[in-house]
């Protein structure tokens, strides 16, 4: 699209415009501009109007294209929004699981304190993942991988908690057997 002209000038003259009237035998007349111009103005005609109209039509077409693109992007954002909501639900569920595990771990002896630190780290990771999910829809695939890793970590921690509980129970029984006491 070519640039529109931006250097039009009005004609400059002293006083008022003056015209010479010429009468013809057939009853017609003609006007001749006899104004004394200090500076000629810029001619403005059909070519200028056509170029302006073409430019306006081009701009209107671009606006329609942008509106269509915006509508498409809005639809895409809407569809990603549902996915993000589902992922947030999974994250909330994972956070609840982590909280449950944390309560279970804290009820055991000081041997499990190290696991509490890991759970805090997982909660921080989950919070970070949640923030990342909210900020950008292009990270959905990476988040799915992180969720899988978090689920594995939670399973690992649950397994360790269960193993440590079993170990603690065995140690209690050995200690009680050695001291002649039996747990109900």
């Amino acid at each position: 699209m070519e640039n529109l002209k931006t250097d039009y000038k009005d004609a400059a003259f002293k006083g008022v415009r003056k015209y010479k009237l010429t009468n013809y035998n057939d009853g017609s007349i003609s006007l001749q501009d006899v104004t004394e111009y200090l500076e000629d103005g810029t001619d403005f005609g059909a070519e200028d109007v056509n170029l302006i109209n073409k430019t306006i039509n081009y701009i209107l077409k671009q606006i329609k294209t942008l509106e269509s693109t915006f509508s498409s992007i809005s639809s895409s954002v809407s569809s990603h929004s549902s996915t993000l909501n589902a992922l947030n639900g999974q994250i909330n569920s994972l956070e609840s699981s982590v909280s449950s595990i944390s309560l279970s771990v804290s009820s055991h002896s000081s041997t499990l304190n190290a696991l509490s630190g890991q759970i805090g780290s997982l909660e921080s990771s989950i919070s970070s993942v949640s923030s990342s999910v909210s900020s950008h829809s292009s990270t959905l695939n990476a988040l799915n991988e992180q969720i899988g890793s978090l689920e594995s970590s939670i399973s690992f921690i649950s397994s360790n908690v269960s193993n440590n509980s079993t170990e603690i129970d065995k140690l209690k029984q050995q200690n009680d057997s050695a001291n002649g006491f039996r747990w109900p």
Side-chain angles (χ1 to χ4, degrees):
M1 180 74 17
E2 112 184 49
N3 288 336
L4 297 176
K5 185 174 178 162
T6 59
D7 60 350
Y8 288 95
K9 292 181 183 177
D10 289 329
F13 51 89
K14 194 188 277 186
V16 295
R17 291 187 188 261
K18 295 179 183 176
Y19 298 94
K20 178 180 176 187
L21 179 67
T22 304
N23 290 310
Y24 295 99
N25 290 337
D26 64 359
S28 63
I29 61 167
S30 66
L31 295 175
Q32 179 184 3
D33 187 353
V34 292
T35 306
E36 289 184 37
Y37 289 96
L38 303 173
E39 184 178 345
D40 288 335
T42 307
D43 289 334
F44 185 82
E47 183 180 343
D48 298 299
V49 172
N50 288 336
L51 183 58
I52 290 168
N53 287 343
K54 283 179 186 177
T55 301
I56 289 171
N57 288 337
Y58 174 79
I59 290 169
L60 291 174
K61 184 178 177 184
Q62 293 302 314
I63 288 171
K64 284 182 183 177
T65 301
L66 288 172
E67 286 173 343
S68 173
T69 302
F70 178 76
S71 176
S72 176
I73 289 170
S74 284
S75 294
S76 177
V77 166
S78 246
S79 95
H80 288 304
S81 179
S82 321
T83 305
L84 290 174
N85 287 339
L87 286 174
N88 279 329
Q90 288 178 357
I91 288 169
N92 288 338
S93 175
L94 288 172
E95 286 174 340
S96 177
S97 295
V98 169
S99 285
S100 267
I101 291 169
S102 179
L103 289 174
S104 175
V105 167
S106 66
S107 71
H108 293 288
S109 69
S110 61
T111 311
L112 300 177
N113 283 339
L115 291 176
S116 289
Q118 289 178 356
I119 289 171
S121 176
L122 283 174
E123 287 174 336
S124 175
S125 295
I126 289 171
S127 178
S128 174
V129 168
S130 177
S131 174
S132 177
V133 165
S134 297
S135 68
H136 213 286
S137 65
S138 66
T139 60
L140 290 177
N141 290 334
L143 286 176
N144 281 329
E145 290 175 21
Q146 287 181 3
I147 288 171
S149 174
L150 288 173
E151 288 172 340
S152 294
S153 296
I154 289 171
S155 175
F156 174 76
I157 289 170
S158 292
S159 173
N160 281 341
V161 167
S162 177
N163 289 342
N164 284 335
S165 292
T166 303
E167 287 298 315
I168 289 170
D169 289 343
K170 284 179 185 178
L171 288 173
K172 284 180 182 178
Q173 286 176 359
Q174 287 173 359
N175 186 38
D176 292 343
S177 292
N179 292 328
F181 179 77
R182 194 162 252 200
W183 288 92

